[in-house]
Each structure stands twice: as C-alpha cells, then as structure tokens.
Amino acid sequence: MIVSGFISVVIALSLNFAKEVKAYPYQPTSTVDFQVHNVRKEQAVAPPDCFPAIGFTMPSTLPSTTTNWWCDHSTEYAFVGFSYEVTACQSLTTLTKEFKDIRTTFKGRYVRIYGACDRAGFYNDVINAAWSASLGVHALIWFGWDDPNIWKTRRDTLLGILHSNPKAKFVVRVLQFGSEPLYDYALDPDTLATQVTSAKANLSSLHIPVTISEMAYGYQERQPGSNKVMDAIDIIDAHMLPFFSTEASTASASWPIVLTDVNWFVTNGQNKKIYLSQNGWPSVTYSGVEPNSPSAVANVQNEKNYFALLDSKCSYFKSVAGGGIGWFAHIYSDNQEPGYGIYGTSGVLKFPFAPITSVDLDSANPFSSSTSTTMAAASSTRALNAILPQIPTAPYEAHQKARTFASRYVKSNQYDTAIDVLFQSARELIKTGQPGSGSDLTTFMLDVYESKGEPVSDESRGRLTQLIALIGPDGGWRKTMIDKSIAWSAKHGTCPAGDPDLQHYVGELLYKEGSFEAAEIHFLASGKRDSARLLADMFLQWAADTSSYGLFAVRGTIPYLQNGNILAAKTFIRHFTSGLPASVRVESDSVINVGEKDEVTMTKDSLVNFAQMAVLTCQRAQGDQNKVMRESWVRLCGTYQGKIGLLATPEMRMSLNEIATLYFAIPPPRSQAGNPFGDMMSSLFGGPAQSQSARRTLTPASTSSPGLD
Ligand SMILES: *[C@@H]1O[C@H](CO)[C@@H](O)[C@H](O)[C@H]1NC(C)=O
C-alpha cells in the first residue's frame, strides 16, 4: 500500500539530523479576562486616605462605619505582604512586633494567616496586633489533617471573634477556608460552597468577604463541583508554587508555569480580585515535599529569583482584570515553614528583599518599569472622577468628556494620562452596553499609542485584549478593534506580522466562538507553539465533518514552513497527527523513526504523510550544502505531486517552490508568478517585499541551536 512509496525519502531523512532551522522561541501566552461581570465600584477615597494604604494614618478612635474605609482593590496589586504561620501561637507582643516589621520594613499591607492556633482569644491578638501595625488580615479557618471536625470549632470561634471584636471589621479583609480544601478534599465541593455561602451570610453585617485558599489544580480536579465554590467566593486567594510543577527548573524560568495557572484563574474567576496568597519558591527541599520535576532547583538564589521574577511582571499584574493581582510572599520566616522564609531561623534576612508594591512604583526601586504609568494613573483620577460616574446615566456626555480630556492631555504630551482615561472610559462604556462609544474611544486610544510610539508590552497589549474580550462579536466593532490593534502591534512590536501574543489571543477567542476560518489567519500569523497546537485542535474538529484530514494537515503545515517557522510547523503536525481518529490510522507498524528524536506516523491519508515528511525534510535543510536533503525534497514533492491532485495545483506548486528556494536554495522556476506569501516572507525577514526573481534562503542555524521537542 501507500507506505512503500516513501521509504526512500524516510531513509534519506534519517541520514541527517544534525542541523535545524532557527525558529521563534517559545513565549508565554498573555492573559485576559473572558468574563467580566462585576461593575467596579467607584472609589470615594484613594490612597493614602484609605486602609491599609502605605502612608495611611490610623485614627485614634474606631470609626463608626467601614464606609470609605477600605482601599479599592484596583490599588492593591504587586507585593502586598506575607503569609504567616501561627502554629507557634505567637504572643500578642510577637505578633505586634512582626506585623509592624511587615508594615515598615517591607511596605506590606496584609498578613495572610496560615495554619491554626487554638489558644483561647488568639484571633483577638491577631486583630489587635494588626490594628496597631495598620495591617490588613486575610484570616483563616484551618482544616488540618488530624481531627476531621475541629474546623467547625475553629469556624465558630473565629466568626464569634469577628463579631465581638469591634476592630475586626476594620482589619479583616477576607476570611479564608484553607488551605487547599478542594485539593485535600477536606469537604466535598458542594458542602464547601455551602459553608462559604453561610459564612458570607454570617459576616454580611460586617462586610467581611469570604473565600478559600486554593491552587488552580484544586479547582480543576474537583470540577464540576468546584464551579459552585468559584461562584460562591468573593475574591480569589490563589496558591502559586511553581517549584512543584512537573515542568519546574529554575525560578527565573518559571513564568510560563505561573502564567498557566494565573490564566486559569483569569478565565474562570469571573473577574474577581486575585491575590496569590501562598506563593513562593523554597530554598531547600526535604522529605515529604520533594519536587515533581527532576530539574527543579531549590536554593536561596532561586527563592530570591522567584520574587525578582514577580517584580519584573509588575505592570502585567496591574493590568489583570478584577483590580490587578496582588501577591503575598510565602512565608515570613523559616521558623514557620522550613525553606520558604524570607527570614532564616536566626532572624536574619536570607537575601535582600524589597519587592515592588503598587504604591512605590515611582520611588527608588530599580526594578520598576511602570513609573510613568503609575503617575498617569494618579493624574487621570480627576478626569475619571468626572467621567465614570456619568456613564450609567449620561453615556453620551461621558463619552464626549472622555474625548475632550484625552485631547487636552495629548496636546500637552501627557500620553499616558490620555491612554488611562480612554482605556478606563472605554471599558466602562462597553460594560454598560455602549459598544459604539467604547469602540470609538478604543480607536482614539490606539491613535494615542501611535502618537506616543507606545511599544508592545504586557500592559499595552493587555488593555486591548480586555476591550476586545468585553465588546463581544456583535456589530462589527470588534473586527475594527482587532485589525487596528494588530496593525499597531506590527509597527511597534518585534514581529512585522503583528504581535504573536496578540495574534494568539485573537485566534483563541475566535476559535472558542466557533469562527474557525477567522481564527486560522491569527494562529498562522502568531506562530507560537501554543497557536500551532490550538490550530491543530481546531483543524481536527473542522476536518471531522468531511474527513478531509489531509487537506487540513497541509493547510496548517505549509504556511508555517513558508514563514520559516519550523518549530510551529512541527508542533502543528505532531499534534494534528496524534489527534487523528482511528479511521485514518494504519493499524500496525505505522511509526517510522527518523533520526534520534523524530518519527513519521504513516496514515491512510497521503497528504498527512506528505505534511509530516515535508516538515522533517525542511528541518534538516542546509540550503545547497546538504545535497541529500535537497534531493529528498525534490523526490518527496515529485512522488506526491504525481499522486495527489491538490499538490499539483498552480497555487500549491508556487508554495512548494517557495519552500524549495527558502530551505534548499533551489532556484524558482522562471515562469513563477508573484506570490503573496513570498512578500509576507520577505517582510518577516526584515527586507522590503522582493521581486520574484530575487532569491531568498534561510541561513542554517548553528549546531548549538536548541533542539525541537
Ligand atoms: C455567626 O456565627 C457564629 C458562630 O457560629 C454565631 O455565634 C453567630 O450568632 C452568627 N452570627 C450571625 C449574624 O449569623
């Protein structure tokens, strides 16, 4: 059958597996909310005049009400404080001293309690110490592992103190059930959701919200029951310990792991405020808490690097819906949990620790990259106070006001302020059902991006993806926003085909809506590995109706090859082939190994086989240096063009010739007409669109280029 025809090609492929063409490096996917329900409450007081802002002066007597007491969630992102373990039943004196240390030494605003102390009145000490240190508290009902019912006693005691201590409602920002009650199956998800709901009811007069402290995996593994828990909680206290990921290596390389979990919370978190409550990287590992990856490194340098990594993502944290992401360092001292402490057991700092907070972005911290944005946020407050409250009642006036303010700021070169005003106004307008006005302000914001020369960053892209997600598919506004956003990103990012993260985001959005054809272009233009994977998933679904798997195999592979993106082509075809239904597979002996790391899975569909071999042949190309591969390519194309009509069509011939020139330095046939992909290619490789007579070839990558997986 079909298999015998290509054995010679496969053998040729196995002869050379040394050189690989350079491809785009993997980059993490950026995040945006898909579901935005909560309309943000307008904030009557701003930092430092709200609790627990840095610089807030505690009143000498208790206020009569919590109205205007708490800072808005949107002012609490980046570092917010420490996790603090209480099994030691610290005395009031120790609590007060250490809470003040958190506040003054590290500019912490919260302490997140971890573990339990069952000494009578212990939570009164926590609350009183927090009040004297001006520190907010994430209180905790601890389940533990010994007595299955002790949490009930702890719950009743803690609820009782929250009601009886008059300071409680002024310092307790949230009550958590924890830790990891879903993951540990402390309660079944339904019961847990009911507990959260009754605690909320119990605390409603005090306005203390309720949540659980849990990792993304805990929610994921208890679905669908955990969806009720997600519905019930007021804010999200997320656990983030990337050291335990199966993909962990060093802390500095852990951002993709963090982002995967953060993305899950952003997508499923219903726009609730997110804190990373149990969040860190250990400096030692010991029996019982070993990593799940052999490459995971535990030492002080990595513990330190993890927090430096979070500092470097500060502007991203700020941009996440729900008021930005605030993070706690887990944990205050090695005495509380060995290896995680910022302080060692002797009370000395293990490394210098001065994380960026949302209030000192513009002060002396050398890591800060968002100085101008923070100052813009400060100066846009006046405009936004005039605009936002008007939106529900007089959207037309609010829209005009936003334009007027923004124009004024642009004229005085205050671009960041203009951007902030336009972004926030557009967002609120869209949320209140004014997509036309919102879209108009988005276009204006992109014009300001252009005038300013705003580079593509997590933050500048994050504004656009938020607005794109909010506006929805109806009415044509989104298409305009997407096109204009991509045009801006092509001009001000590193990739002339548009920012890969933005392209991926849009592709995924359209794919999830079922707009396959529209999504395809964006996945191809993105070229990220994640995009190639999703493209394969989508094509598998799309092809299922007609069983035209081969057509889609080629449709995913060839454009990536033409873009010089071997890595994406390879990711795509592997993922695609492994997802094929049994009807297309060959029963036995269908896998042929190629070199050490690669294989071709023979299927009943010749085009699928062709696509796999085309990728492996191009991967081993070295221009005209590797004669064997050149010949393999020619033979591969010849064999299949004789067999399959589609490959012999003029369009397909043109694409294959393009690839022949690009990878194997085979001159194009003289008669070849203009090729739009060729022009796209040229611009990708930095030159102007070339005439078809000019030859383009890829330089073979050095042997040290990273392996493809
Ligand atoms: C809240 O719960 C505590 C402990 O179970 C109870 O003593 C108190 O009466 C409850 N208060 C309200 C308002 O439900």
Side-chain angles (χ1 to χ4, degrees):
M1 54 174 278
I2 318 170
V3 175
S4 61
F6 354 98
I7 294 300
S8 62
V9 175
V10 172
I11 290 168
L13 281 172
S14 2
L15 292 175
N16 182 315
F17 40 85
K19 301 288 192 289
E20 289 161 345
V21 177
K22 210 175 272 169
Y24 300 114
Y26 170 72
Q27 293 176 336
T29 314
S30 179
T31 324
V32 188
D33 51 319
F34 285 92
Q35 309 161 14
V36 181
H37 301 311
N38 305 351
V39 176
R40 201 160 58 92
K41 275 199 238 93
E42 277 324 308
Q43 154 193 358
V45 288
D49 299 325
C50 53
F51 183 81
I54 298 300
F56 177 69
T57 313
M58 291 298 270
S60 48
T61 54
L62 275 186
S64 54
T65 138
T66 52
T67 308
N68 291 345
W69 171 254
W70 290 103
C71 292
D72 190 87
H73 279 314
S74 65
T75 64
E76 296 177 345
Y77 52 91
F79 172 76
V80 294
F82 287 92
S83 232
Y84 187 93
E85 215 265 354
V86 295
T87 314
C89 284
Q90 290 88 338
S91 66
L92 175 62
T93 314
T94 303
L95 291 170
T96 307
K97 178 168 124 297
E98 296 189 337
F99 287 6
K100 285 187 172 166
D101 181 47
I102 291 173
R103 179 77 179 177
T104 53
T105 311
F106 304 101
K107 299 205 180 82
R109 279 167 284 172
Y110 290 99
V111 63
R112 177 245 172 186
I113 303 298
Y114 180 58
C117 163
D118 297 317
R119 157 158 70 74
F122 177 71
Y123 257 102
N124 275 320
D125 290 349
V126 169
I127 289 163
N128 295 337
W131 174 270
S132 41
S134 319
L135 204 62
V137 176
H138 286 218
L140 182 82
I141 299 166
W142 179 253
F143 287 92
W145 293 277
D146 307 324
D147 176 346
N149 288 315
I150 195 163
W151 67 273
K152 293 182 191 160
T153 318
R154 288 174 179 157
R155 174 198 61 194
D156 293 346
T157 309
L158 180 46
L159 290 175
I161 288 178
L162 294 180
H163 281 284
S164 65
N165 188 322
K167 295 189 178 105
K169 65 177 173 183
F170 297 100
V171 296
V172 177
R173 181 59 140 168
V174 69
L175 171 66
Q176 315 157 82
F177 285 84
S179 253
E180 299 177 355
L182 286 169
Y183 177 67
D184 293 339
Y185 216 92
L187 294 177
D188 72 78
D190 278 2
T191 313
L192 183 61
T194 310
Q195 282 299 321
V196 169
T197 309
S198 18
K200 277 162 69 172
N202 184 291
L203 296 175
S204 61
S205 64
L206 304 173
H207 305 287
I208 296 176
V210 179
T211 187
I212 67 167
S213 205
E214 183 62 79
M215 55 185 163
Y217 183 70
Y219 286 94
Q220 289 157 7
E221 81 171 337
R222 303 291 175 226
Q223 272 176 333
S226 62
N227 295 340
K228 279 194 194 155
V229 179
M230 183 60 88
D231 291 343
I233 59 176
D234 291 305
I235 64 162
I236 293 168
D237 267 359
H239 289 198
M240 195 61 71
L241 299 166
F243 176 74
F244 294 103
S245 161
T246 52
E247 293 175 16
S249 58
T250 62
S252 307
S254 66
W255 184 241
I257 303 171
V258 174
L259 203 51
T260 301
D261 278 6
V262 165
N263 277 346
W264 189 88
F265 280 110
V266 171
T267 306
N268 297 281
Q270 306 171 13
N271 201 31
K272 295 175 187 189
K273 171 72 180 181
I274 301 173
Y275 293 96
L276 307 183
S277 54
Q278 188 161 324
N279 168 58
W281 189 283
S283 61
V284 294
T285 178
Y286 41 92
S287 162
V289 284
E290 280 111 359
N292 298 304
S293 155
S295 322
V297 189
N299 57 31
V300 172
Q301 186 63 43
N302 274 275
E303 182 184 359
K304 175 180 180 220
N305 289 352
Y306 180 67
F307 296 120
L309 173 75
L310 299 185
D311 267 354
S312 76
K313 302 297 176 186
C314 190
S315 59
Y316 164 72
F317 286 141
K318 182 187 177 188
S319 75
V320 173
I325 294 180
W327 59 266
F328 288 82
H330 185 88
I331 205 167
Y332 183 67
S333 160
D334 270 351
N335 290 321
Q336 301 179 348
E337 189 166 17
Y340 286 91
I342 302 296
Y343 284 107
T345 48
S346 56
V348 177
L349 279 178
K350 286 155 75 182
F351 51 89
F353 187 66
I356 303 174
T357 74
S358 50
V359 284
D360 68 354
L361 276 173
D362 53 349
S363 71
N365 199 312
F367 293 107
S368 171
S369 60
S370 290
T371 308
S372 62
T373 320
T374 311
M375 288 165 65
S379 48
S380 60
T381 309
R382 200 173 61 86
L384 290 168
N385 283 344
I387 298 163
L388 299 184
Q390 254 195 345
I391 287 179
T393 49
Y396 177 78
E397 284 76 10
H399 176 198
Q400 290 310 315
K401 238 184 226 176
R403 291 199 68 99
T404 311
F405 270 110
S407 307
R408 215 181 289 159
Y409 289 128
V410 169
K411 284 209 186 82
S412 56
N413 296 330
Q414 291 173 273
Y415 296 119
D416 290 324
T417 312
I419 289 168
D420 199 45
V421 167
L422 290 167
F423 168 62
Q424 297 208 40
S425 306
R427 188 170 61 182
E428 296 309 314
L429 280 164
I430 296 169
K431 280 194 205 165
T432 0
Q434 302 288 335
S437 309
S439 154
D440 175 68
L441 294 187
T442 308
T443 301
F444 193 168
M445 185 179 87
L446 277 160
D447 292 341
V448 181
Y449 273 18
E450 286 291 342
S451 316
K452 184 195 166 193
E454 177 81 4
V456 177
S457 66
D458 287 344
E459 187 171 13
S460 58
R461 181 198 314 107
R463 291 188 197 103
L464 294 168
T465 48
Q466 271 198 47
L467 296 171
I468 289 168
L470 276 171
I471 203 157
D474 302 327
W477 290 292
R478 190 175 67 184
K479 172 96 174 63
T480 314
M481 267 158 73
I482 288 172
D483 292 349
K484 222 172 143 92
S485 299
I486 288 174
W488 158 77
S489 78
K491 202 162 148 198
H492 298 280
T494 49
C495 188
D499 176 55
D501 287 316
L502 184 59
Q503 294 277 20
H504 178 82
Y505 175 79
V506 172
E508 188 170 5
L509 184 74
L510 294 166
Y511 167 38
K512 286 188 174 161
E513 281 175 12
S515 309
F516 291 176
E517 203 160 347
E520 176 182 5
I521 309 160
H522 297 286
F523 284 140
L524 289 173
S526 158
K528 287 161 61 94
R529 272 203 295 195
D530 285 348
S531 306
R533 272 188 217 111
L534 284 187
L535 183 68
D537 289 341
M538 185 176 92
F539 276 0
L540 284 167
Q541 283 180 39
W542 200 353
D545 295 340
T546 51
S547 286
S548 48
Y549 291 99
L551 189 68
F552 282 99
V554 169
R555 194 157 156 177
T557 310
I558 298 297
Y560 282 140
L561 288 179
Q562 284 178 290
N563 286 351
N565 193 342
I566 290 276
L567 185 52
K570 195 163 172 174
T571 306
F572 168 83
I573 194 65
R574 270 193 181 185
H575 202 73
F576 185 84
T577 308
S578 68
L580 286 171
S583 57
V584 191
R585 294 170 170 279
V586 185
E587 304 72 44
S588 59
D589 285 339
S590 60
V591 174
I592 299 171
N593 290 317
V594 179
E596 285 171 336
K597 293 188 285 186
D598 296 317
E599 58 188 37
V600 172
T601 306
M602 285 302 164
T603 70
K604 290 179 191 160
D605 192 318
S606 306
L607 276 173
V608 175
N609 302 338
F610 169 78
Q612 293 180 75
M613 287 194 277
V615 172
L616 295 184
T617 312
C618 289
Q619 184 189 338
R620 288 160 174 77
Q622 286 179 280
D624 55 6
Q625 303 295 299
N626 188 335
K627 304 275 190 265
V628 178
M629 279 306 119
R630 270 185 115 181
E631 273 171 37
S632 299
W633 176 258
V634 173
R635 208 176 325 145
L636 179 69
C637 292
T639 309
Y640 280 87
Q641 277 170 335
K643 206 192 293 254
I644 305 167
L646 172 83
L647 293 178
T649 58
E651 296 77 20
M652 206 59 206
R653 277 187 190 281
M654 205 182 283
S655 296
L656 294 176
N657 288 339
E658 177 79 25
I659 291 171
T661 308
L662 184 63
Y663 292 87
F664 305 98
I666 299 171
R670 292 200 177 280
S671 61
Q672 181 160 339
N675 183 345
F677 271 114
D679 292 346
M680 185 175 161
M681 273 302 307
S682 306
S683 60
L684 277 176
F685 285 95
Q690 296 171 5
S691 68
Q692 36 301 21
S693 60
R695 300 223 333 239
R696 296 176 301 104
T697 55
L698 280 175
T699 321
S702 74
T703 38
S704 63
S705 72
L708 304 167
D709 68 0

